[in-house]
Amino acid sequence: MRLAKDGMEIEMKEKITFIIVLITVIGFLTGCGTPDEKSADNIQTNKKITVGFSQLGAESDWRVANTESIKSSLSYDNGYVLVFDDAQQKQDKQIMAIRKFIQQEVDCIVLAPVTEEGWETVLTEAKDAGIPVIIVDRMVNVADHDLYTAWVGSDFGREGKIACEWLKKYCEVNSIPSDDIHVLDIQGTLGATAQIGRTNGIVKASDLYGWDLVDLVPADYAQTKAKEVMQQMLKKHDNINVVYCENDNEAVGAIEALEEAGKKVGSDIKNGEVMIISFDAARSGLSKVLEGKIALDVECNPLQGEKINEVIRKVISGEEFEKYTYVEERVFSAVDHIDRVSVDGISYSVTVLTKDILDKREY
Ligand code: GYE
């Protein structure tokens, strides 16, 4: 009896053990468990690509659109486990985030760097750990270009040149002498590739065409800061007739300050209007183009997610990939009599913005 009972007990125990093992195996195969367990399984089974994304901040409409684009392309449904970090415009926070991604042994790091300098050490750490790094948007200035795997972004130098060639053409067409042009440059974050490229454009063109570049002041790509800068500049200079804003949020801030000071913003410099030139072509900027308050808005396309996705997949699967990928961009204007500008031998068309075009824009 006892033996039989013991035998039954042993059989029962075996059955229970078998059921537990079965449940665990089913759980494993169907992907149950916590998100962390899931991502670990996914890396092991090579199903999902784990990406650590260090975004520099959320300072502008451009940046918000950029973050959304990357998050939606590197989504779970699209085969990724994305670890996102917003560094609030601070490089040390970005460096900390990258070190954390290395510890977490992600498959790939995406870095949108706040400024160009100071990346050697942490990029060497990522390289030593064997983790590919895709730089997006702005550039890193490192002597060894093998410290990053690839880059996806815009040609900021070309954007600046397009804006300045347009202004030159505007002056020619409207018979405005060069020395009647008094430009204020509200710069982006100093040391960021976008700032360097756009500032270079206006500095070189002012020198070449004889425009008076009254001042250059950074405003961190932020609306409130740009408004303050504009207010101070209006106290300091009484002749500014072109404000070259290095992004749309700055343009919106500058327009607020100018209008509060009783100035009229528009394209008619000859009749005392202050002309605004801007970059990004985000909805906030383009609505001002439609109102005639921004004369020219050179697009900087934040929708980089799909291109980043393509590069990552190629890198991970060992296929050939382009080291540098540029996104497509357009030029929008409120002025209807300049339809093309030429930069470095290439002709770019200038689109007169309509409500229809604006309504169809993605950001
Ligand atoms: O123009 C600005 C943003 O680096 C291209 O950063 C980017 C710039 C963009 O904050 O709006």
Side-chain angles (χ1 to χ4, degrees):
M1 277 293 283
R2 215 180 135 68
L3 238 181
K5 200 180 163 218
D6 282 350
M8 267 175 68
E9 268 177 16
I10 290 164
E11 226 177 84
M12 271 300 260
K13 269 186 196 159
E14 275 173 1
K15 270 188 187 160
I16 290 168
T17 314
F18 175 71
I19 289 166
I20 290 171
V21 169
L22 194 69
I23 289 170
T24 313
V25 168
I26 290 171
F28 180 77
L29 291 175
T30 55
C32 293
T34 67
D36 275 347
E37 282 164 1
K38 238 187 211 173
S39 61
D41 292 344
N42 288 331
I43 298 168
Q44 275 165 18
T45 56
N46 234 354
K47 271 188 197 152
K48 298 277 177 196
I49 303 169
T50 308
V51 173
F53 171 29
S54 167
Q55 176 59 288
L56 66 93
E59 74 288 357
S60 65
D61 294 356
W62 188 99
R63 187 67 49 201
V64 172
N66 181 247
T67 300
E68 274 171 17
S69 163
I70 297 173
K71 277 187 176 174
S72 76
S73 292
L74 309 188
S75 65
Y76 191 80
D77 287 349
N78 214 13
Y80 288 91
V81 174
L82 186 66
V83 190
F84 177 76
D85 187 88
D86 174 348
Q88 294 157 340
Q89 300 251 59
K90 294 194 175 62
Q91 186 179 36
D92 52 346
K93 287 201 172 182
Q94 293 206 278
I95 292 173
M96 270 163 53
I98 294 171
R99 292 205 165 120
K100 212 164 160 205
F101 297 152
I102 296 172
Q103 271 173 18
Q104 289 169 339
E105 299 181 0
V106 296
D107 299 319
C108 181
I109 291 171
V110 172
L111 166 65
V114 63
T115 47
E116 289 193 348
E117 304 298 330
W119 297 101
E120 256 97 359
T121 310
V122 76
L123 290 184
T124 306
E125 290 167 25
K127 196 176 175 212
D128 290 347
I131 302 174
V133 177
I134 316 294
I135 309 289
V136 301
D137 171 23
R138 303 170 187 174
M139 252 293 176
V140 291
N141 186 13
V142 287
D144 176 5
H145 290 191
D146 286 344
L147 283 182
Y148 56 88
T149 311
W151 170 88
V152 176
S154 306
D155 186 338
F156 307 110
R158 184 183 62 198
E159 291 172 1
K161 285 182 185 171
I162 290 176
C164 295
E165 284 312 303
W166 181 89
L167 180 58
K168 178 178 174 258
K169 208 160 177 183
Y170 175 89
C171 292
E172 281 167 5
V173 173
N174 293 285
S175 313
I176 301 172
S178 318
D179 50 7
D180 277 3
I181 294 294
H182 305 281
V183 191
L184 165 68
D185 178 8
I186 303 186
Q187 299 169 289
T189 303
L190 293 184
T193 318
Q195 175 274 313
I196 297 169
R198 293 168 189 168
T199 299
N200 270 346
I202 193 66
V203 170
K204 287 189 180 153
S206 301
D207 196 36
L208 201 64
Y209 304 136
W211 301 331
D212 169 29
L213 185 52
V214 295
D215 239 316
L216 300 100
V217 192
D220 251 345
Y221 295 114
Q223 186 170 330
T224 323
K225 206 153 178 191
K227 185 174 179 181
E228 284 164 20
V229 166
M230 192 69 241
Q231 285 164 339
Q232 286 157 13
M233 290 298 108
L234 284 172
K235 285 184 197 137
K236 197 169 160 196
H237 309 278
D238 61 2
N239 58 355
I240 296 167
N241 56 7
V242 176
V243 187
Y244 180 92
C245 302
E246 292 189 12
N247 84 341
D248 281 340
N249 294 78
E250 290 185 345
V252 172
I255 292 169
E256 270 175 28
L258 284 158
E259 290 184 334
E260 282 171 20
K263 306 268 181 198
K264 189 154 183 346
V265 289
S267 305
D268 198 355
I269 296 184
K270 269 187 168 170
N271 285 310
E273 289 183 357
V274 180
M275 173 181 279
I276 310 288
I277 290 176
S278 183
F279 297 88
D280 282 357
R283 190 164 296 278
S284 55
L286 288 185
S287 345
K288 298 288 175 197
V289 176
L290 206 59
E291 288 175 44
K293 293 183 178 180
I294 291 179
L296 181 78
D297 205 347
V298 180
E299 184 178 31
C300 181
N301 186 354
L303 307 181
Q304 301 165 341
E306 266 324 292
K307 292 217 167 5
I308 296 168
N309 168 35
E310 282 164 28
V311 174
I312 294 177
R313 287 189 181 280
K314 286 184 180 164
V315 169
I316 299 283
S317 61
E319 277 174 63
E320 258 187 51
F321 58 91
E322 295 289 330
K323 177 109 182 175
Y324 300 94
T325 303
Y326 289 89
V327 284
E328 298 88 38
E329 334 203 84
R330 299 169 67 186
V331 183
F332 298 96
S333 181
V335 175
D336 62 6
H337 54 273
I338 299 167
D339 56 5
R340 298 203 83 80
V341 284
S342 182
V343 165
D344 298 330
I346 300 171
S347 172
Y348 296 90
S349 79
V350 179
T351 304
V352 179
L353 187 73
T354 60
K355 188 171 177 307
D356 202 39
I357 296 175
L358 180 56
D359 287 346
K360 289 189 185 122
R361 301 270 300 165
E362 278 185 65
Y363 63 97

